[in-house]
Amino acid sequence: MGATAFILVGNRPYLTPGLPNPGYLLLLYENNMPAWELIPLYPELEKDLGKRSVIWIPSIENMLEDALLMVGIYVTKDPELIKMAEKVFGRNFKAERIEIGGNPEVEKLREIARRNLQRYDIGLLIIPLKDSTIIRQLEYLKRYGRLWYSIHIRNEKLSSQLEDWSED
């Protein structure tokens, strides 16, 4: 299976429709081992990230929240999340590939992300395909308070105004 979900990360919309300043794309691959890949969309952001992309092997149960951790650490660069990531992963959190596995310390990172991500001017456009594991995890977004997101699922509309999608 190829990519089963896409998350576009930009700014929170205010006066205009759409997602302002999209800068990062998260792709979820669900093969024999799931992986999130965070890709900067502009050369300046790639330089800021220090690499072409970052790959995390998420926990199955918290796949969506692990993507939000990536946003908090690499996009918003939340100081509290970075400090805790250094404790949990060591300097390895700056590596190109990290395996979350069953690390119980990661839950502390998720708690910080739930509290802190809503403070940032970020917006998420979440597009899970029908077979994606994260469809069953979308309710976890309620834990993030005022974090702005828009979810688009084919043939369903959750905060979507797309009328031109047709069934295949």
Side-chain angles (χ1 to χ4, degrees), residues 36 56 58-59 61-72 106-107 109-111 113-114 117 134 137 140-141 143-144:
W36 279 109
W56 275 26
S59 64
E61 307 79 27
N62 297 292
M63 211 176 281
L64 180 57
E65 288 196 280
D66 290 344
L68 296 177
L69 275 179
M70 292 178 80
V71 170
V106 175
E107 186 54 36
L109 280 168
R110 291 184 192 111
E111 288 173 17
R114 288 178 201 129
L117 279 181
I134 70 163
Q137 298 176 3
Y140 295 170
L141 291 166
R143 300 175 181 175
Y144 288 79

Side-chain angles (χ1 to χ4, degrees), residues 26-38:
L26 273 157
L27 297 173
L28 175 61
Y29 302 99
E30 293 188 71
N31 297 312
N32 58 344
M33 180 186 309
W36 279 109
E37 182 176 17
L38 177 69

